[in-house]
Amino acid sequence: MANNIVIETKGLHKTYDESKVPVHAVRGVDIKITEGEFTAIVGPSGSGKSTLLNIIGGLDQPSEGSIIIDGQDLSKLKPNQLIDFRKNNIGFVFQSYNLIPVLTAKENVEFVMLLQNRNEKERSERTKELLDAVGLSDKYDVRPTELSGGQQQRVAVARALAPKPKFILADEPTANLDSTSTRNLLDIMARLNQEENITFVFSTHDQRVIERARRVISVEDGKVESDIIK
Amino acid sequence: MAQLFKLARRNIWRNKRRTIITVCSILFAVFFATFMKSMQKGTWDNVVNSVVSNFFGFAQIHENGYWEDLSLNKSMEYNAELKNLADSDENIQDLVPRLESFALGSHDIKTKGVVVIGIDPVKENKLTNLADKIIQGKYFGEESKGAIIASGLADYLKLTVGDTLVMIGQGFRGLNAAGKYLVEGMVEFGSPELNNGMVYLPLDQAQYLYGAEGRITNLIVDTDKPKKIKETVSSLKNTLGSEKYEVMDWEELIPDLVSARQMDTAGGTIFLNILYLLISFGIFGTLLMMLKERQYEFGVLLSIGMKKWQIFIMLWFETIVLAFIGVLAGILLAMPLIYYMFANPVALTGDMASAYDSFGIEAVVTAAFESGIFIQQGIVIFVIVTLLSLYPFFKIRSLHPVKAMR
């Protein structure tokens, strides 16, 4: 199981032709991430780490190269197939939480499962299990605006886990959190990683996240500068 | 789908200001459109009713070709078939006979061309309330053999009640028509055309004058269901056949009035279309605002697995619910005002009132209180909003999650 490759990028390039001056955001990235990893992609602003994360998540297309998730080449999928693939295989945690404001914490977690047409019993059990796991068993019926930033990000983690994805992509998940919330969130994610073997990939420049990661991939000018497994 | 509707319903109340602006735009569109349409229709219905019920009736039966020639030679025998025709259609209250022709009317040294109308006094009064227009003398009784003349004509001929009017003209099939009649009453019409030339005689007196015993020129359909007049005309045509008689509704009898109404309605339609256009821009503006504000959110929804068509359906639900609320509120707001205008017509004064009076039309502005207008305008606005709500489809189709979340 430990050697099961979940994410593989081959010769990944991404060039933006904005303002007729090409911007090379990613230049030839080859990485492999196996199941159960707790990986941080680090680098300064503009290094290309978010672009790399977007490509891995199937939100953006590479200009060159391929991205293979659990054996599936994403470039072979049609737009709607790609959406379905994302929905069933990839969980997203965003910097600004991005919960649906009109839904409660429970409904936010349930939402993706509804899109997956899971039955009510299954949805209800999994929602409870996940909200309990992120320490929000008393916030089921509370809307995002009534939750703190840390609590919202924990709901976002529960939502990302709801469809039982192959891995979680978290784009600067602690950027808007104070130190206590950051510690709580990292504790929860580390526990889920260790106890349930869930694969996490972060893009971050937060030292607290880097310290907790077991693998750190440094990106600079769109290239992998170093890849350290602790 | 239920989840999409739930999301749409909750989104509606997320930005209350935008929701209120959109609903108000739709509400005012429906309110003004129904109010305008009702006022225009009400006022024209009043004009038509005045003209039609004061003289023409909602339909007439003639000998074939009479309305073209207006000649006594195209008069018809007032036979049992015509007399019993009222029983053939439940929408017909009565059939009112007339013998209409022309003559020269004289008194003392004055002479003037007049329109002579032989009437059944009882039936005619039920149809046109002629007795109410008497300003001097009295209306025809059972034994009357005299004439009732219009006041303008009386002034010209210097006639008054009790004087004798002499008439001479051409009768049925070229006979000489001549007679003298005691003026029993004087009527006044708003329309100068009627007021300066009308002479009424009892039907048998007119038939005797023109040598047209047992004949009439017009048989007027008296109905209390004018909206069903087309049906009635069609049923009469079936009963009578088209060989001997012509059956014409008021639109065929007075095409000038129909043209005037069409002209005015066309003007109103142009105005309504401008209103629809303005409202469309207003609603479109709120849609653009909403799309811009929520672009980031749509990017997130796409990222986590919602399909573009699902986002579009959610937005479409939102707009449709707003349209439904706006249309319903607009109708509910317009209803009491339109009903008030319908129940309490506003009397015109000054030159406008004189102009209406001169055509024998009641000088009021009123509204039509008809469910058809509310339904029609509600549907028009609803369809406009529904079509506008398709615009987000094109925006969502080209949505890219990363660009949307920038």
Side-chain angles (χ1 to χ4, degrees):
Chain A
M1 285 294 282
N3 291 328
N4 188 11
I5 296 170
V6 186
I7 303 165
E8 184 177 6
T9 70
K10 291 179 183 172
L12 220 53
H13 284 263
K14 179 69 183 179
T15 306
Y16 295 107
D17 290 327
E18 281 174 3
S19 316
K20 295 180 182 172
V21 180
V23 176
H24 302 286
V26 178
R27 308 168 189 232
V29 172
D30 297 284
I31 50 172
K32 286 179 186 173
I33 294 174
T34 53
E35 191 175 6
E37 279 194 21
F38 202 66
T39 302
I41 299 173
V42 302
S45 293
S47 60
K49 59 183 189 302
S50 288
T51 305
L52 182 59
L53 216 68
N54 286 336
I55 295 172
I56 293 172
L59 297 177
D60 210 351
Q61 285 77 43
S63 310
E64 236 179 86
S66 60
I67 166 85
I68 296 156
I69 305 290
D70 203 29
Q72 171 67 55
D73 187 342
L74 295 193
S75 64
K76 301 271 192 291
L77 297 175
K78 290 178 181 161
N80 270 341
Q81 289 175 321
L82 186 60
I83 292 174
D84 280 335
F85 188 84
R86 275 204 306 264
K87 180 173 68 188
N88 297 321
N89 297 285
I90 308 170
F92 291 93
V93 177
F94 302 95
Q95 183 179 330
S96 315
Y97 332 128
N98 294 343
L99 299 174
I100 301 170
V102 292
L103 300 182
T104 62
K106 176 177 169 283
E107 288 166 337
N108 262 288
V109 176
E110 243 188 330
F111 186 71
V112 185
M113 289 188 281
L114 269 163
L115 296 176
Q116 288 180 310
N117 294 322
R118 301 257 187 102
N119 66 49
E120 196 182 342
K121 185 170 174 284
E122 196 183 346
R123 290 198 315 261
S124 180
E125 282 172 5
R126 180 127 181 95
T127 304
K128 186 177 177 308
E129 174 194 324
L130 289 168
L131 283 175
D132 290 351
V134 297
L136 292 173
S137 47
D138 57 338
K139 302 287 184 191
Y140 283 16
D141 298 317
V142 177
R143 288 201 182 181
T145 47
E146 296 160 49
L147 294 170
S148 69
Q151 288 170 329
Q152 286 190 57
Q153 197 60 303
R154 279 188 272 158
V155 176
V157 170
R159 178 180 69 179
L161 288 166
K164 297 185 177 168
K166 295 281 184 303
F167 60 93
I168 303 285
L169 286 180
D171 187 11
E172 313 236 13
T174 57
N176 293 339
L177 301 182
D178 59 33
S179 55
T180 313
S181 300
T182 298
R183 197 172 52 249
N184 282 341
L185 186 75
L186 287 171
D187 286 346
I188 288 165
M189 292 199 284
R191 181 168 47 80
L192 288 166
N193 171 254
Q194 280 165 9
E195 291 174 5
E196 299 185 28
N197 203 35
I198 293 165
T199 311
F200 280 90
V201 180
F202 309 94
S203 85
T204 187
H205 49 235
D206 184 337
Q207 201 53 42
R208 294 165 297 188
V209 180
I210 297 168
E211 279 167 14
R212 299 286 290 266
R214 292 205 302 280
R215 180 179 174 190
V216 179
I217 300 171
S218 296
V219 178
E220 213 165 316
D221 296 330
K223 291 180 187 164
V224 174
E225 287 294 310
S226 66
D227 188 348
I228 301 163
I229 298 173
K230 293 179 189 171
Chain B
M1 205 55 88
Q3 181 69 9
L4 294 179
F5 190 73
K6 183 162 97 178
L7 266 176
R9 193 164 44 82
R10 290 193 188 173
N11 278 328
I12 286 170
W13 300 116
R14 216 166 107 194
N15 188 334
K16 290 191 179 66
R17 187 182 296 175
R18 188 178 59 224
T19 299
I20 289 167
I21 290 172
T22 312
V23 168
C24 284
S25 306
I26 299 166
L27 181 154
F28 284 117
V30 174
F31 177 82
F32 286 124
T34 47
F35 186 74
M36 241 190 77
K37 199 81 187 164
S38 298
M39 291 303 290
Q40 192 180 38
K41 184 155 194 313
T43 303
W44 268 106
D45 282 352
N46 174 48
V47 170
V48 168
N49 270 324
S50 296
V51 173
V52 169
S53 63
N54 274 345
F55 190 72
F56 286 95
F58 283 96
Q60 292 191 9
I61 300 165
H62 319 121
E63 174 97 356
N64 242 340
Y66 170 76
W67 201 247
E68 178 84 20
D69 292 355
L70 294 178
S71 160
L72 267 181
N73 291 338
K74 292 275 171 75
S75 62
M76 57 195 175
E77 198 183 334
Y78 190 31
N79 54 26
E81 184 190 14
L82 293 180
K83 282 177 184 166
N84 297 326
L85 203 55
D87 301 331
S88 70
D89 191 306
E90 59 177 12
N91 296 331
I92 301 174
Q93 274 191 312
D94 203 356
L95 290 166
V96 182
R98 281 184 195 156
L99 181 76
E100 292 184 20
S101 191
F102 305 94
L104 278 174
S106 299
H107 175 247
D108 201 8
I109 57 165
K110 292 267 190 178
T111 301
K112 195 172 191 301
V114 298
V115 177
V116 179
I117 301 182
I119 58 169
D120 177 320
V122 177
K123 290 186 174 198
E124 184 71 28
N125 193 39
K126 273 189 195 161
L127 178 74
T128 61
N129 299 317
L130 191 59
D132 293 348
K133 297 182 179 82
I134 295 277
I135 54 165
Q136 261 186 53
K138 58 180 176 52
Y139 188 61
F140 291 136
E142 276 181 23
E143 300 297 319
S144 289
K145 293 187 181 335
I148 290 173
I149 62 171
S151 62
L153 178 66
D155 286 346
Y156 183 82
L157 295 177
K158 308 245 183 285
L159 272 169
T160 187
V161 173
D163 289 345
T164 300
L165 169 71
V166 176
M167 289 197 289
I168 184 164
Q170 191 179 48
F172 182 53
R173 289 181 183 153
L175 279 175
N176 279 332
K180 53 179 188 174
Y181 301 92
L182 181 72
V183 177
E184 293 187 10
M186 206 182 288
V187 284
E188 189 166 70
F189 293 108
S191 158
E193 198 183 336
L194 296 179
N195 206 44
N196 292 334
M198 297 293 279
V199 174
Y200 286 95
L201 295 177
L203 184 61
D204 57 343
Q205 293 299 312
Q207 287 169 334
Y208 181 76
L209 169 67
Y210 288 111
E213 279 87 356
R215 301 186 77 81
I216 57 171
T217 51
N218 317 50
L219 195 57
I220 322 292
V221 177
D222 187 7
T223 178
D224 58 350
K225 292 169 188 151
K227 282 180 187 165
K228 291 189 172 175
I229 199 65
K230 297 267 180 205
E231 262 174 56
T232 307
V233 165
S234 165
S235 128
L236 285 170
K237 279 180 178 171
N238 281 339
T239 309
L240 294 169
S242 57
E243 212 168 288
K244 192 165 176 359
Y245 300 105
E246 61 188 18
V247 187
M248 303 167 86
D249 64 22
W250 68 270
E251 290 180 342
E252 293 173 275
L253 293 166
I254 24 179
D256 291 352
L257 186 64
V258 177
S259 302
R261 183 180 189 153
Q262 279 170 344
M263 287 274 286
D264 189 63
T265 308
T269 306
I270 291 170
F271 191 83
L272 261 184
N273 285 334
I274 293 171
L275 180 73
Y276 294 150
L277 198 68
L278 289 175
I279 296 298
S280 300
F281 278 120
I283 296 165
F284 190 61
T286 61
L287 273 175
L288 285 180
M289 200 163 73
M290 179 270 287
L291 283 172
K292 193 73 194 158
E293 264 178 32
R294 292 168 64 186
Q295 186 173 303
Y296 188 94
E297 174 191 331
F298 299 148
V300 173
L301 291 172
L302 267 181
S303 304
I304 63 171
M306 207 164 167
K307 295 216 173 75
K308 288 179 178 176
W309 69 263
Q310 289 173 314
I311 297 177
F312 169 70
I313 293 288
M314 178 185 77
L315 292 180
W316 194 74
F317 274 151
E318 286 178 29
T319 319
I320 292 303
V321 169
L322 292 183
F324 187 75
I325 295 171
V327 166
L328 202 67
I331 288 174
L332 290 176
L333 195 70
M335 263 185 169
L337 184 68
I338 291 171
Y339 184 77
Y340 179 82
M341 294 299 292
F342 164 72
N344 305 283
V346 177
L348 294 171
T349 53
D351 290 346
M352 191 65 106
S354 309
Y356 268 65
D357 284 343
S358 69
F359 290 101
I361 299 165
E362 196 185 354
V364 293
V365 171
T366 184
F369 190 73
E370 291 177 10
S371 58
I373 294 175
F374 295 110
I375 293 168
Q376 186 202 26
Q377 293 308 312
I379 288 174
V380 168
I381 304 287
F382 194 81
V383 167
I384 288 174
V385 179
T386 309
L387 289 176
L388 285 174
S389 71
L390 294 177
Y391 174 73
F393 172 76
F394 298 102
K395 292 301 283 183
I396 301 289
R397 204 173 60 162
S398 59
L399 198 70
H400 188 280
V402 175
K403 286 180 187 162
M405 287 193 289
R406 261 183 204 155

